[in-house]
Amino acid sequence: MGLTSRDSIFEQAKEWVYEAGENIRSNMYNQLTIETKSNANDLVTELDKKIEKFFAEKIRGLYSNHRIIGEEGYGDDVHSLEGTIWIIDPIDGTMNFVHQKRNFAISVGIYHDGIGQIGIIYDVMDDVLYTAVKGEGAYKNNQKLPQLNKDVVLEKSIIAMNSYIGFNDQRINTDKIKELIAVSRGTRSYGSAALEFAFVAEGIIDAYVSLSLAPWDIAAGMILVEEVGGITTTAQGDKVNLLEKSPILTCNQEIFTTLTKDYIEIK
């Protein structure tokens, strides 16, 4: 992906994201069909599907050689990260969308040969657009975000995590998580992985950990966090595989070693 084509793709992707956001706002109060997927709390609406289909049709119409990884079934059967791949979550935080009509986002990450080039996260209801282009920094509504604070220590950090992590989850050492909750300044749960990544990039939370995130949950956010000096790995500290679900940690690098060594112990 050359610099000229990347800039053009970035501008086109932003245009589509804004159009999709307006589509959501215009239709969200209509009577929606709500279905469940892997469990009773894993929700999907017809609007999730409609928005992903919108992106898929736009991408295939303009970039026929690009491939798509999507949550709702309109993507391609992707087994490698070669070439240019769009990784899309049309509504990240569907439960928030259904129950609260806020605190959800459109997430679009664009990768070329496995390297993140463009990340876009759009907080639809607050009309806040987070963007990043590799090597050019990260932005919030066109205001450049500063590099993350290098003086952060765990005792003064706010950690985002799903609330169930500390309660008898067999995948993780919950005693260590309870210690983390006690030693940190505070914990939060926003219900949208994309927004939690954006908040790490913005520096308003210092880390986010989740035990199972899919590529579409993290693809855009990883690019934003990297552009401000943060780090994203599996919760064990390994490189993320964007073709599978993983336990994920994204954080300020200053607390990464402490978190992975002393508190996040995956069984």
Side-chain angles (χ1 to χ4, degrees):
M1 183 187 291
L3 291 178
T4 301
S5 64
R6 187 179 69 178
D7 291 344
S8 173
I9 292 169
F10 174 57
E11 292 301 323
Q12 183 62 79
K14 281 199 302 181
E15 180 181 318
W16 289 340
V17 166
Y18 276 128
E19 186 176 347
E22 178 57 34
N23 196 328
I24 292 171
R25 286 190 295 267
S26 298
N27 291 281
M28 64 187 299
Y29 291 101
N30 296 342
Q31 185 69 37
L32 296 175
T33 300
I34 302 169
E35 301 172 356
T36 59
K37 295 189 288 186
S38 62
N39 60 66
N41 295 321
D42 186 7
L43 306 181
V44 61
T45 73
E46 62 199 79
L47 200 50
D48 293 73
K49 298 175 182 179
K50 178 180 178 180
I51 296 302
E52 183 167 300
K53 183 180 180 183
F54 162 82
F55 279 111
E57 290 176 345
K58 292 291 188 181
I59 294 164
R60 290 180 177 128
L62 196 57
Y63 307 111
S64 59
N65 62 327
H66 292 189
R67 292 180 295 159
I68 302 165
I69 296 175
E71 182 173 12
E72 309 304 346
Y74 292 94
D76 300 302
D77 187 17
V78 177
H79 297 285
S80 81
L81 295 176
E82 293 179 2
T84 301
I85 299 177
W86 296 58
I87 307 178
I88 299 169
D89 195 336
I91 299 179
D92 183 77
T94 301
M95 187 179 295
N96 289 349
F97 168 71
V98 169
H99 286 270
Q100 302 174 345
K101 299 295 188 285
R102 64 185 66 191
N103 300 323
F104 62 89
I106 299 169
S107 177
V108 176
I110 305 174
Y111 284 69
H112 185 74
D113 290 340
I115 298 172
Q117 299 292 331
I118 296 166
I120 302 173
I121 295 173
Y122 184 41
D123 183 337
V124 175
M125 299 311 292
D126 284 347
D127 191 25
V128 174
L129 187 75
Y130 295 90
T131 61
V133 174
K134 182 175 175 57
E136 298 180 11
Y139 290 78
K140 177 184 179 183
N141 285 346
N142 298 317
Q143 291 292 116
K144 191 169 186 178
L145 296 174
Q147 293 291 292
L148 295 180
N149 183 0
K150 292 187 177 297
D151 296 323
V152 164
V153 294
L154 188 58
E155 291 76 13
K156 295 183 180 179
S157 296
I158 294 179
I159 313 295
M161 64 178 73
N162 295 334
S163 57
Y164 61 78
I165 286 181
F167 298 95
N168 300 318
D169 194 307
Q170 299 303 311
R171 295 170 292 178
I172 195 167
N173 186 331
T174 53
D175 289 336
K176 290 288 188 180
I177 291 296
K178 290 171 184 176
E179 289 180 24
L180 174 60
I181 292 169
V183 76
S184 65
R185 177 158 279 175
T187 57
R188 301 289 185 270
S189 180
Y190 297 95
S192 165
L195 289 179
E196 284 160 315
F197 267 83
F199 296 161
V200 170
E202 191 177 352
I204 59 176
I205 60 176
D206 301 293
Y208 168 53
V209 59
S210 179
L211 296 185
S212 182
L213 292 179
W216 45 80
D217 297 316
I218 64 177
M222 286 176 60
I223 301 169
L224 272 95
V225 170
E226 181 178 353
E227 284 298 307
V228 294
I231 186 170
T232 303
T233 67
T234 70
Q236 299 96 323
D238 300 323
K239 183 178 179 180
V240 174
N241 182 347
L242 279 171
L243 296 176
E244 63 185 26
K245 289 186 176 182
S246 305
I248 294 293
L249 169 66
T250 187
C251 64
N252 187 313
Q253 291 208 45
E254 300 304 308
I255 58 173
F256 172 75
T257 300
T258 301
L259 286 171
T260 54
K261 180 182 176 183
D262 298 333
Y263 295 101
I264 302 174
E265 184 178 305
I266 304 294
K267 298 179 182 179

